[in-house]
Coordinates of all heavy atoms in Angstrom, one line a residue:
M36 N -48.6 4.7 -4.3 CA -50.0 4.6 -4.2 C -50.4 5.2 -2.8 O -49.9 4.8 -1.8 CB -50.5 3.2 -4.3 CG -52.0 3.0 -4.0 SD -52.6 1.3 -4.2 CE -52.6 0.8 -2.5
P37 N -51.3 6.1 -2.8 CA -51.8 6.7 -1.5 C -52.5 5.6 -0.7 O -53.4 5.0 -1.2 CB -52.7 7.8 -1.9 CG -52.5 8.0 -3.3 CD -51.9 6.8 -3.9
G38 N -52.2 5.4 0.5 CA -52.8 4.4 1.3 C -53.1 4.8 2.7 O -53.9 4.2 3.4
D39 N -52.5 5.8 3.2 CA -52.6 6.3 4.5 C -54.0 6.9 4.7 O -54.5 7.7 3.8 CB -51.5 7.4 4.8 CG -51.7 7.9 6.2 OD1 -51.1 7.3 7.1 OD2 -52.3 9.0 6.3
D40 N -54.8 6.5 5.7 CA -56.1 7.0 5.9 C -56.2 8.5 5.9 O -57.1 9.1 5.4 CB -56.7 6.5 7.2 CG -57.1 5.0 7.0 OD1 -57.2 4.5 5.9 OD2 -57.2 4.3 8.1
L41 N -55.2 9.2 6.6 CA -55.3 10.7 6.6 C -55.0 11.3 5.2 O -55.7 12.2 4.9 CB -54.2 11.2 7.6 CG -54.5 10.9 9.1 CD1 -53.3 11.4 9.9 CD2 -55.7 11.6 9.5
E42 N -54.1 10.6 4.4 CA -53.9 11.1 3.1 C -55.1 10.9 2.2 O -55.5 11.8 1.5 CB -52.7 10.4 2.5 CG -52.3 10.9 1.2 CD -51.0 10.2 0.7 OE1 -50.4 9.4 1.4 OE2 -50.7 10.4 -0.5
I43 N -55.8 9.8 2.3 CA -57.0 9.5 1.5 C -58.1 10.5 1.9 O -58.8 11.1 1.1 CB -57.4 8.1 1.7 CG1 -56.4 7.2 1.0 CG2 -58.8 7.9 1.1 CD1 -56.6 5.7 1.3
S44 N -58.2 10.7 3.2 CA -59.2 11.7 3.7 C -59.0 13.1 3.2 O -59.9 13.8 2.7 CB -59.2 11.7 5.2 OG -60.2 12.6 5.7
A45 N -57.7 13.5 3.1 CA -57.4 14.8 2.6 C -57.7 14.9 1.1 O -58.2 15.9 0.6 CB -55.9 15.1 2.9
M46 N -57.4 13.8 0.4 CA -57.7 13.8 -1.1 C -59.2 13.8 -1.3 O -59.7 14.5 -2.2 CB -57.1 12.5 -1.7 CG -55.7 12.6 -2.0 SD -55.1 11.3 -3.1 CE -55.5 9.8 -2.3
R47 N -60.0 13.1 -0.5 CA -61.4 13.2 -0.6 C -61.9 14.6 -0.4 O -62.8 15.1 -1.2 CB -62.1 12.2 0.4 CG -62.0 10.8 0.0 CD -62.6 9.9 1.1 NE -62.4 8.5 0.8 CZ -62.4 7.6 1.8 NH1 -62.5 7.9 3.0 NH2 -62.2 6.3 1.4
R48 N -61.4 15.3 0.6 CA -61.8 16.7 0.8 C -61.5 17.6 -0.4 O -62.3 18.4 -0.8 CB -61.2 17.2 2.1 CG -61.9 16.7 3.4 CD -61.4 17.4 4.6 NE -60.0 17.5 4.8 CZ -59.3 16.5 5.3 NH1 -59.8 15.4 5.8 NH2 -58.0 16.6 5.5
R49 N -60.3 17.4 -0.9 CA -59.8 18.2 -2.0 C -60.7 17.9 -3.2 O -61.1 18.9 -3.9 CB -58.3 17.8 -2.3 CG -57.8 18.6 -3.5 CD -56.3 18.4 -3.7 NE -55.9 19.0 -4.9 CZ -55.1 18.4 -5.8 NH1 -54.6 17.2 -5.6 NH2 -54.8 19.1 -6.9
L50 N -60.9 16.7 -3.6 CA -61.7 16.4 -4.8 C -63.2 16.9 -4.6 O -63.8 17.4 -5.5 CB -61.6 15.0 -5.3 CG -62.1 13.9 -4.4 CD1 -63.6 13.6 -4.8 CD2 -61.4 12.6 -4.8
S51 N -63.7 16.8 -3.4 CA -65.0 17.2 -3.1 C -65.1 18.8 -3.3 O -66.0 19.3 -4.0 CB -65.4 16.9 -1.7 OG -66.7 17.4 -1.4
F52 N -64.1 19.5 -2.9 CA -64.0 20.9 -3.0 C -64.0 21.3 -4.5 O -64.7 22.1 -5.0 CB -62.8 21.5 -2.3 CG -62.6 22.9 -2.4 CD1 -63.3 23.8 -1.6 CD2 -61.8 23.5 -3.4 CE1 -63.2 25.2 -1.8 CE2 -61.6 24.8 -3.6 CZ -62.3 25.7 -2.8
M53 N -63.0 20.6 -5.2 CA -62.8 20.9 -6.6 C -64.1 20.5 -7.5 O -64.4 21.3 -8.4 CB -61.6 20.2 -7.1 CG -60.3 20.7 -6.6 SD -58.9 19.7 -7.1 CE -58.9 19.9 -8.8
A54 N -64.7 19.5 -7.1 CA -65.9 19.0 -7.9 C -67.1 19.9 -7.8 O -67.9 20.0 -8.7 CB -66.3 17.6 -7.5
R55 N -67.1 20.6 -6.7 CA -68.3 21.5 -6.4 C -68.1 22.9 -6.7 O -68.9 23.8 -6.4 CB -68.7 21.3 -4.9 CG -69.3 19.9 -4.7 CD -69.8 19.6 -3.4 NE -70.5 18.3 -3.3 CZ -70.0 17.2 -2.7 NH1 -68.8 17.3 -2.1 NH2 -70.6 16.1 -2.7
R56 N -66.9 23.2 -7.3 CA -66.6 24.6 -7.8 C -66.1 24.5 -9.2 O -65.0 24.8 -9.5 CB -65.5 25.2 -6.8 CG -66.2 25.6 -5.5 CD -65.2 25.5 -4.4 NE -65.8 25.8 -3.1 CZ -66.5 24.9 -2.4 NH1 -66.6 23.6 -2.8 NH2 -67.0 25.2 -1.2
R57 N -67.0 24.2 -10.1 CA -66.7 24.1 -11.5 C -67.2 25.3 -12.3 O -68.0 26.1 -11.8 CB -67.5 22.8 -12.1 CG -67.2 21.5 -11.3 CD -65.7 21.2 -11.3 NE -65.2 20.9 -12.7 CZ -64.0 20.6 -12.9 NH1 -63.1 20.4 -11.9 NH2 -63.6 20.4 -14.2
A58 N -66.7 25.4 -13.5 CA -67.0 26.5 -14.4 C -68.5 26.4 -14.8 O -69.1 27.4 -15.1 CB -66.1 26.6 -15.5
M59 N -69.0 25.2 -14.9 CA -70.3 24.9 -15.4 C -71.2 24.3 -14.3 O -70.8 23.3 -13.7 CB -70.3 23.9 -16.6 CG -69.6 24.5 -17.8 SD -69.4 23.3 -19.2 CE -71.2 23.2 -19.7
P60 N -72.3 24.9 -14.0 CA -73.2 24.4 -12.9 C -73.6 22.9 -13.2 O -73.8 22.2 -12.3 CB -74.4 25.3 -12.9 CG -73.9 26.5 -13.6 CD -72.8 26.2 -14.5
E61 N -73.8 22.6 -14.5 CA -74.2 21.2 -14.9 C -73.2 20.2 -14.3 O -73.5 19.2 -13.9 CB -74.4 21.1 -16.4 CG -75.4 22.0 -17.0 CD -74.9 23.4 -17.4 OE1 -73.8 23.8 -17.0 OE2 -75.6 24.1 -18.1
M62 N -71.9 20.6 -14.5 CA -70.9 19.7 -14.0 C -70.8 19.6 -12.5 O -70.6 18.5 -11.9 CB -69.5 20.1 -14.6 CG -69.3 19.8 -16.1 SD -69.8 18.1 -16.6 CE -68.7 17.1 -15.5
E63 N -71.1 20.7 -11.8 CA -71.2 20.6 -10.4 C -72.3 19.6 -9.9 O -72.1 18.8 -9.0 CB -71.5 22.0 -9.8 CG -70.4 23.0 -9.9 CD -70.7 24.4 -9.4 OE1 -71.8 24.6 -8.8 OE2 -69.8 25.2 -9.5
Q64 N -73.4 19.7 -10.6 CA -74.5 18.8 -10.2 C -74.2 17.3 -10.6 O -74.4 16.4 -9.7 CB -75.8 19.2 -11.0 CG -76.3 20.5 -10.6 CD -77.5 21.0 -11.4 OE1 -77.7 20.4 -12.5 NE2 -78.2 22.0 -11.0
I65 N -73.6 17.1 -11.7 CA -73.2 15.7 -12.1 C -72.2 15.2 -11.1 O -72.3 14.1 -10.6 CB -72.7 15.7 -13.5 CG1 -73.9 15.9 -14.5 CG2 -72.0 14.3 -13.8 CD1 -73.5 16.2 -15.9
F66 N -71.2 16.0 -10.8 CA -70.1 15.5 -9.9 C -70.7 15.3 -8.5 O -70.3 14.4 -7.7 CB -68.9 16.4 -9.9 CG -68.0 16.3 -11.1 CD1 -67.3 17.4 -11.5 CD2 -67.9 15.1 -11.7 CE1 -66.5 17.3 -12.6 CE2 -67.0 15.0 -12.8 CZ -66.3 16.1 -13.3
D67 N -71.6 16.2 -8.1 CA -72.2 16.1 -6.7 C -72.9 14.8 -6.6 O -72.8 14.1 -5.6 CB -73.1 17.3 -6.5 CG -73.7 17.2 -5.0 OD1 -72.9 17.2 -4.1 OD2 -74.9 17.2 -4.9
R68 N -73.7 14.4 -7.6 CA -74.4 13.1 -7.6 C -73.5 12.0 -7.5 O -73.7 11.0 -6.8 CB -75.3 13.0 -8.8 CG -76.5 13.9 -8.7 CD -77.4 13.8 -9.9 NE -78.6 14.7 -9.7 CZ -79.3 15.1 -10.7 NH1 -79.1 14.8 -11.9 NH2 -80.3 15.9 -10.5
Y69 N -72.4 12.0 -8.3 CA -71.4 11.0 -8.3 C -70.8 10.8 -6.9 O -70.7 9.7 -6.3 CB -70.3 11.2 -9.3 CG -69.2 10.1 -9.3 CD1 -69.5 8.9 -9.9 CD2 -68.1 10.3 -8.7 CE1 -68.5 7.9 -9.9 CE2 -67.1 9.3 -8.6 CZ -67.3 8.1 -9.2 OH -66.4 7.1 -9.2
L70 N -70.4 12.0 -6.3 CA -69.7 11.9 -5.0 C -70.6 11.5 -3.9 O -70.2 10.9 -2.9 CB -69.0 13.3 -4.7 CG -67.9 13.6 -5.6 CD1 -67.3 15.0 -5.4 CD2 -66.7 12.6 -5.5
T71 N -71.9 11.9 -4.0 CA -72.9 11.5 -3.0 C -72.9 10.0 -2.9 O -73.0 9.4 -1.8 CB -74.3 12.0 -3.4 OG1 -74.2 13.4 -3.3 CG2 -75.3 11.5 -2.4
Q72 N -72.7 9.3 -4.0 CA -72.8 7.8 -4.1 C -71.5 7.2 -3.7 O -71.4 6.1 -3.2 CB -73.2 7.4 -5.5 CG -74.6 7.8 -5.9 CD -74.8 7.4 -7.4 OE1 -74.9 6.2 -7.7 NE2 -74.8 8.4 -8.2
H73 N -70.3 7.8 -4.0 CA -69.0 7.1 -4.0 C -68.0 7.7 -3.1 O -67.0 7.0 -2.8 CB -68.5 7.1 -5.5 CG -69.4 6.4 -6.4 ND1 -69.5 5.0 -6.4 CD2 -70.2 6.8 -7.4 CE1 -70.3 4.6 -7.4 NE2 -70.8 5.7 -7.9
L74 N -68.1 8.9 -2.7 CA -66.9 9.6 -2.0 C -66.4 8.8 -0.8 O -65.2 8.6 -0.7 CB -67.3 11.0 -1.6 CG -66.2 11.8 -0.9 CD1 -65.1 12.0 -1.9 CD2 -66.8 13.1 -0.4
E75 N -67.3 8.4 0.1 CA -66.8 7.8 1.3 C -66.2 6.4 1.1 O -65.5 5.9 2.0 CB -68.0 7.6 2.3 CG -68.5 9.0 2.8 CD -67.4 9.8 3.4 OE1 -66.6 9.3 4.2 OE2 -67.4 11.0 3.1
T76 N -66.4 5.8 0.0 CA -65.8 4.5 -0.3 C -64.6 4.5 -1.2 O -64.0 3.5 -1.5 CB -66.8 3.5 -0.8 OG1 -67.4 4.0 -2.0 CG2 -67.9 3.3 0.2
M77 N -64.3 5.7 -1.7 CA -63.2 5.8 -2.7 C -61.8 5.6 -2.0 O -61.6 6.2 -0.9 CB -63.2 7.2 -3.4 CG -64.4 7.4 -4.3 SD -64.6 9.0 -4.9 CE -63.2 9.1 -6.1
D78 N -61.0 4.7 -2.6 CA -59.7 4.5 -2.1 C -58.7 5.5 -2.7 O -59.1 6.4 -3.5 CB -59.2 3.1 -2.3 CG -59.1 2.7 -3.7 OD1 -58.9 3.5 -4.6 OD2 -59.1 1.5 -4.0
G79 N -57.4 5.4 -2.4 CA -56.5 6.4 -2.9 C -56.4 6.4 -4.4 O -56.3 7.5 -5.0
D80 N -56.3 5.2 -5.0 CA -56.2 5.2 -6.5 C -57.5 5.8 -7.1 O -57.4 6.5 -8.1 CB -56.1 3.8 -7.0 CG -54.7 3.2 -6.7 OD1 -53.7 4.0 -6.6 OD2 -54.5 2.0 -6.6
Q81 N -58.7 5.5 -6.6 CA -59.9 6.1 -7.1 C -59.9 7.6 -7.0 O -60.3 8.3 -7.9 CB -61.1 5.5 -6.5 CG -61.3 4.0 -6.8 CD -62.3 3.3 -5.9 OE1 -62.4 3.6 -4.7 NE2 -63.1 2.4 -6.5
C82 N -59.4 8.1 -5.9 CA -59.3 9.6 -5.7 C -58.4 10.2 -6.7 O -58.7 11.2 -7.3 CB -58.8 9.9 -4.3 SG -60.0 9.6 -3.0
L83 N -57.2 9.6 -6.9 CA -56.3 10.1 -7.9 C -56.9 10.1 -9.3 O -56.7 11.1 -10.1 CB -55.0 9.3 -7.9 CG -54.1 9.5 -6.7 CD1 -52.9 8.5 -6.7 CD2 -53.6 10.9 -6.6
R84 N -57.6 9.0 -9.7 CA -58.3 9.0 -11.0 C -59.3 10.1 -11.1 O -59.4 10.8 -12.1 CB -59.0 7.6 -11.2 CG -58.0 6.5 -11.4 CD -58.8 5.2 -11.5 NE -59.8 5.1 -12.5 CZ -60.8 4.3 -12.5 NH1 -61.0 3.5 -11.5 NH2 -61.7 4.3 -13.5
F85 N -60.1 10.4 -10.1 CA -61.1 11.4 -10.1 C -60.4 12.8 -10.1 O -60.9 13.7 -10.9 CB -62.0 11.3 -8.9 CG -63.3 12.1 -9.0 CD1 -64.3 11.6 -9.8 CD2 -63.4 13.3 -8.4 CE1 -65.5 12.4 -10.0 CE2 -64.6 14.0 -8.6 CZ -65.6 13.6 -9.3
L86 N -59.3 13.0 -9.4 CA -58.6 14.2 -9.4 C -58.1 14.5 -10.8 O -58.2 15.7 -11.3 CB -57.5 14.3 -8.4 CG -57.9 14.4 -7.0 CD1 -56.8 14.2 -6.0 CD2 -58.5 15.8 -6.7
R87 N -57.6 13.5 -11.5 CA -57.1 13.7 -12.9 C -58.3 14.1 -13.8 O -58.2 15.0 -14.7 CB -56.5 12.5 -13.4 CG -55.0 12.3 -12.9 CD -54.3 11.2 -13.7 NE -54.8 9.9 -13.5 CZ -54.5 9.0 -12.5 NH1 -53.6 9.4 -11.6 NH2 -55.0 7.8 -12.4
L88 N -59.5 13.5 -13.6 CA -60.6 13.9 -14.4 C -61.0 15.3 -14.1 O -61.4 16.1 -15.1 CB -61.8 13.0 -14.0 CG -63.0 12.9 -14.9 CD1 -62.7 12.2 -16.2 CD2 -64.2 12.2 -14.2
L89 N -60.9 15.8 -12.9 CA -61.2 17.2 -12.6 C -60.3 18.2 -13.3 O -60.7 19.4 -13.3 CB -61.2 17.4 -11.1 CG -62.3 16.7 -10.3 CD1 -62.1 16.8 -8.8 CD2 -63.7 17.1 -10.7
D90 N -59.2 17.8 -13.7 CA -58.3 18.7 -14.4 C -58.7 19.0 -15.9 O -58.2 19.8 -16.5 CB -56.8 18.1 -14.4 CG -56.1 18.2 -13.1 OD1 -56.5 19.1 -12.3 OD2 -55.2 17.5 -12.9
L91 N -59.7 18.2 -16.3 CA -60.1 18.3 -17.7 C -61.2 19.5 -17.8 O -61.9 19.7 -16.8 CB -60.7 17.0 -18.2 CG -59.7 15.9 -18.2 CD1 -60.4 14.5 -18.5 CD2 -58.6 16.1 -19.2
P92 N -61.3 20.1 -19.0 CA -62.3 21.2 -19.1 C -63.7 20.7 -19.0 O -64.1 19.6 -19.5 CB -62.0 21.7 -20.6 CG -60.7 21.2 -20.9 CD -60.5 19.9 -20.2
D93 N -64.5 21.5 -18.3 CA -65.9 21.1 -18.1 C -66.7 20.9 -19.4 O -67.5 20.0 -19.5 CB -66.6 22.2 -17.3 CG -66.3 22.2 -15.8 OD1 -65.6 21.2 -15.4 OD2 -66.8 23.0 -15.1
A94 N -66.5 21.7 -20.4 CA -67.2 21.6 -21.7 C -66.9 20.2 -22.3 O -67.9 19.5 -22.8 CB -66.9 22.7 -22.6
D95 N -65.7 19.8 -22.2 CA -65.4 18.5 -22.8 C -66.0 17.4 -21.9 O -66.6 16.4 -22.5 CB -63.8 18.3 -22.8 CG -63.2 19.1 -23.9 OD1 -63.9 19.6 -24.8 OD2 -62.0 19.4 -23.8
L96 N -65.8 17.5 -20.6 CA -66.4 16.5 -19.7 C -67.9 16.3 -20.0 O -68.4 15.2 -20.1 CB -66.2 16.8 -18.3 CG -64.7 16.7 -17.8 CD1 -64.6 17.4 -16.4 CD2 -64.4 15.2 -17.7
L97 N -68.6 17.4 -20.1 CA -70.1 17.3 -20.3 C -70.4 16.7 -21.6 O -71.3 15.8 -21.7 CB -70.7 18.7 -20.2 CG -72.2 18.8 -20.3 CD1 -72.8 18.0 -19.1 CD2 -72.7 20.2 -20.2
D98 N -69.7 17.0 -22.7 CA -69.9 16.4 -24.0 C -69.6 14.9 -23.9 O -70.4 14.1 -24.5 CB -69.0 17.0 -25.0 CG -69.4 18.4 -25.5 OD1 -70.6 18.8 -25.2 OD2 -68.6 19.1 -26.1
W99 N -68.6 14.5 -23.2 CA -68.3 13.0 -23.1 C -69.4 12.3 -22.3 O -69.8 11.2 -22.6 CB -66.9 12.8 -22.5 CG -65.8 13.4 -23.4 CD1 -65.8 13.5 -24.7 CD2 -64.6 13.9 -22.9 NE1 -64.6 14.1 -25.1 CE2 -63.9 14.4 -24.0 CE3 -64.0 14.1 -21.6 CZ2 -62.6 14.9 -23.9 CZ3 -62.8 14.6 -21.5 CH2 -62.1 15.1 -22.7
I100 N -69.7 12.9 -21.1 CA -70.7 12.3 -20.2 C -72.1 12.2 -20.9 O -72.8 11.2 -20.8 CB -70.8 13.1 -18.9 CG1 -69.5 12.9 -18.1 CG2 -72.0 12.7 -18.1 CD1 -69.3 13.8 -17.0
M101 N -72.4 13.2 -21.7 CA -73.7 13.2 -22.4 C -73.6 12.5 -23.7 O -74.6 12.4 -24.5 CB -74.2 14.7 -22.6 CG -74.3 15.5 -21.3 SD -75.5 14.8 -20.2 CE -77.0 15.1 -21.0
E102 N -72.5 11.9 -24.0 CA -72.2 11.2 -25.3 C -72.5 12.0 -26.5 O -72.9 11.5 -27.6 CB -73.0 9.9 -25.3 CG -72.7 9.0 -24.2 CD -73.5 7.7 -24.1 OE1 -74.4 7.5 -25.0 OE2 -73.2 6.8 -23.3
I103 N -72.1 13.3 -26.5 CA -72.2 14.2 -27.6 C -71.0 14.1 -28.5 O -71.1 14.1 -29.7 CB -72.4 15.7 -27.1 CG1 -73.7 15.8 -26.4 CG2 -72.3 16.6 -28.3 CD1 -73.9 17.1 -25.7
K104 N -69.8 13.9 -27.8 CA -68.6 13.7 -28.5 C -67.9 12.4 -28.1 O -68.1 12.0 -26.9 CB -67.6 14.9 -28.3 CG -68.0 16.2 -28.8 CD -67.0 17.2 -28.6 CE -67.4 18.6 -29.1 NZ -66.4 19.6 -28.8
P105 N -67.2 11.7 -29.0 CA -66.5 10.5 -28.6 C -65.3 10.8 -27.6 O -64.7 11.9 -27.6 CB -65.9 9.9 -29.9 CG -65.9 11.1 -30.8 CD -66.9 12.1 -30.4
L106 N -65.1 9.8 -26.7 CA -64.0 10.0 -25.8 C -62.7 9.8 -26.4 O -62.5 8.9 -27.2 CB -64.1 8.9 -24.7 CG -65.1 9.1 -23.6 CD1 -65.3 7.9 -22.8 CD2 -64.6 10.2 -22.7
P107 N -61.7 10.7 -26.1 CA -60.3 10.4 -26.6 C -59.8 9.2 -25.9 O -60.2 8.8 -24.8 CB -59.6 11.7 -26.2 CG -60.6 12.7 -25.8 CD -61.9 11.9 -25.4
A108 N -58.8 8.6 -26.5 CA -58.2 7.4 -26.0 C -57.5 7.6 -24.7 O -57.5 6.6 -23.9 CB -57.2 6.8 -27.0
D109 N -57.1 8.8 -24.4 CA -56.3 9.0 -23.1 C -57.2 9.4 -21.9 O -56.7 9.7 -20.8 CB -55.2 10.0 -23.3 CG -55.8 11.4 -23.7 OD1 -56.9 11.4 -24.2 OD2 -55.1 12.4 -23.5
V110 N -58.5 9.3 -22.1 CA -59.5 9.7 -21.0 C -59.9 8.4 -20.3 O -60.1 7.4 -21.0 CB -60.7 10.5 -21.6 CG1 -61.7 10.7 -20.5 CG2 -60.2 11.8 -22.1
D111 N -60.1 8.4 -19.0 CA -60.5 7.3 -18.2 C -62.0 6.9 -18.6 O -62.9 7.4 -18.0 CB -60.3 7.6 -16.8 CG -60.5 6.5 -15.8 OD1 -61.3 5.5 -16.2 OD2 -60.0 6.5 -14.7
R112 N -62.1 6.0 -19.5 CA -63.5 5.6 -20.0 C -64.3 5.0 -18.9 O -65.5 5.3 -18.8 CB -63.3 4.6 -21.1 CG -62.7 5.1 -22.4 CD -62.6 4.1 -23.5 NE -62.0 4.7 -24.6 CZ -62.7 5.4 -25.5 NH1 -64.0 5.5 -25.4 NH2 -62.1 5.9 -26.6
E113 N -63.7 4.2 -18.0 CA -64.5 3.6 -17.0 C -65.1 4.6 -16.0 O -66.2 4.5 -15.6 CB -63.6 2.6 -16.2 CG -64.3 1.8 -15.1 CD -63.4 0.9 -14.3 OE1 -62.3 0.7 -14.7 OE2 -63.9 0.5 -13.2
L114 N -64.2 5.6 -15.6 CA -64.7 6.6 -14.7 C -65.7 7.5 -15.3 O -66.7 7.8 -14.7 CB -63.5 7.4 -14.2 CG -63.8 8.4 -13.1 CD1 -64.6 7.8 -11.9 CD2 -62.6 9.1 -12.6
I115 N -65.5 7.9 -16.6 CA -66.5 8.7 -17.3 C -67.9 7.9 -17.3 O -68.9 8.5 -17.1 CB -66.1 9.0 -18.7 CG1 -64.9 10.0 -18.7 CG2 -67.2 9.5 -19.6 CD1 -65.3 11.5 -18.4
A116 N -67.8 6.6 -17.6 CA -69.1 5.8 -17.6 C -69.7 5.8 -16.3 O -71.0 5.9 -16.2 CB -68.8 4.4 -18.1
Q117 N -69.0 5.7 -15.2 CA -69.5 5.7 -13.8 C -70.2 7.0 -13.5 O -71.3 7.1 -13.0 CB -68.5 5.4 -12.8 CG -68.0 4.0 -12.9 CD -66.8 3.7 -11.9 OE1 -66.3 4.7 -11.3 NE2 -66.3 2.5 -11.9
V118 N -69.5 8.1 -13.9 CA -70.0 9.5 -13.6 C -71.3 9.7 -14.5 O -72.3 10.2 -14.0 CB -69.0 10.5 -13.9 CG1 -69.6 11.9 -13.9 CG2 -67.8 10.4 -13.0
A119 N -71.3 9.2 -15.7 CA -72.5 9.3 -16.6 C -73.6 8.6 -16.0 O -74.8 9.1 -16.0 CB -72.1 8.9 -18.0
K120 N -73.4 7.4 -15.5 CA -74.5 6.6 -14.9 C -75.1 7.3 -13.7 O -76.2 7.3 -13.5 CB -73.9 5.2 -14.6 CG -74.9 4.3 -14.0 CD -74.3 2.9 -13.7 CE -75.3 2.0 -13.0 NZ -74.7 0.7 -12.6
S121 N -74.2 7.9 -12.9 CA -74.7 8.5 -11.7 C -75.5 9.8 -11.9 O -76.2 10.3 -11.0 CB -73.5 8.8 -10.7 OG -72.7 9.9 -11.2
R122 N -75.4 10.4 -13.1 CA -76.1 11.6 -13.3 C -77.6 11.5 -13.2 O -78.3 12.4 -13.1 CB -75.7 12.2 -14.7 CG -76.3 11.6 -15.9 CD -75.9 12.4 -17.1 NE -76.7 12.1 -18.2 CZ -76.4 11.2 -19.2 NH1 -75.4 10.4 -19.1 NH2 -77.3 10.9 -20.2
H123 N -78.1 10.2 -13.3 CA -79.5 9.9 -13.2 C -79.9 9.6 -11.8 O -81.1 9.5 -11.5 CB -79.9 8.7 -14.1 CG -79.6 9.0 -15.5 ND1 -80.2 9.9 -16.3 CD2 -78.7 8.4 -16.3 CE1 -79.7 9.9 -17.5 NE2 -78.8 9.0 -17.5
F124 N -78.9 9.6 -10.9 CA -79.2 9.3 -9.4 C -79.8 10.6 -8.8 O -79.4 11.6 -9.1 CB -77.9 8.9 -8.8 CG -77.9 8.8 -7.3 CD1 -78.4 7.7 -6.7 CD2 -77.5 9.9 -6.5 CE1 -78.5 7.6 -5.3 CE2 -77.5 9.8 -5.1 CZ -78.0 8.7 -4.5
S125 N -80.7 10.4 -7.9 CA -81.2 11.5 -7.1 C -81.5 11.0 -5.7 O -81.9 9.9 -5.5 CB -82.5 12.1 -7.7 OG -83.5 11.2 -7.7
V126 N -81.3 11.9 -4.8 CA -81.6 11.6 -3.4 C -83.1 12.0 -3.1 O -83.5 13.0 -3.6 CB -80.7 12.4 -2.5 CG1 -81.0 12.2 -1.0 CG2 -79.2 12.1 -2.8
A127 N -83.8 11.2 -2.4 CA -85.2 11.5 -2.1 C -85.3 12.9 -1.5 O -84.6 13.3 -0.6 CB -85.7 10.5 -1.1
G128 N -86.2 13.6 -2.0 CA -86.5 15.0 -1.5 C -85.6 16.1 -2.2 O -85.7 17.2 -1.9
V129 N -84.7 15.6 -3.2 CA -83.9 16.6 -3.8 C -84.3 16.7 -5.3 O -84.7 15.8 -5.9 CB -82.4 16.1 -3.8 CG1 -81.5 17.1 -4.6 CG2 -81.9 16.1 -2.4

């Protein structure tokens, strides 16, 4: 389990970079909203879970987040639900 502050900081930077450079602009926006709320408090395990999510195709992620298609059993349901909930979040002035 990643626990070193420097290692967690590096993972946060990596996932932030990967989340904001997606094939679909819609996923960039959804992930940006999620990270705006959660990035600074994510621990090593949460970072690893999010990094695994980023390995999945954007089209599938969007379908699952928008509840167009059912989630496969091997997808992190809790994290998808958190990301889906955050898509309605907005920062004042944005």
Side-chain angles (χ1 to χ4, degrees):
M36 173 178 102
D39 179 86
D40 287 341
L41 290 175
E42 186 177 351
I43 292 171
S44 180
M46 281 195 300
R47 287 178 183 154
R48 285 191 305 276
R49 179 175 172 222
L50 67 86
S51 180
F52 177 84
M53 292 173 63
R55 292 184 172 108
R56 282 149 186 88
R57 305 301 297 181
M59 297 176 69
E61 297 89 347
M62 288 310 304
E63 289 178 4
Q64 292 174 347
I65 290 169
F66 284 149
D67 185 57
R68 288 180 179 159
Y69 178 80
L70 292 176
T71 296
Q72 297 174 70
H73 300 284
L74 182 63
E75 293 304 316
T76 60
M77 290 171 74
D78 63 22
D80 286 336
Q81 291 167 323
C82 287
L83 289 174
R84 287 174 60 203
F85 195 79
L86 284 169
R87 283 192 294 273
L88 194 70
L89 292 174
D90 285 338
L91 300 171
D93 281 357
D95 290 338
L96 287 166
L97 186 60
D98 285 346
W99 300 328
I100 289 167
M101 302 300 290
E102 299 179 357
I103 295 169
K104 292 184 181 176
L106 279 168
D109 62 337
V110 173
D111 189 334
R112 293 177 180 277
E113 180 183 350
L114 186 52
I115 289 285
Q117 290 172 358
V118 172
K120 182 179 176 183
S121 73
R122 80 178 195 264
H123 300 295
F124 170 81
S125 64
V126 176
V129 176

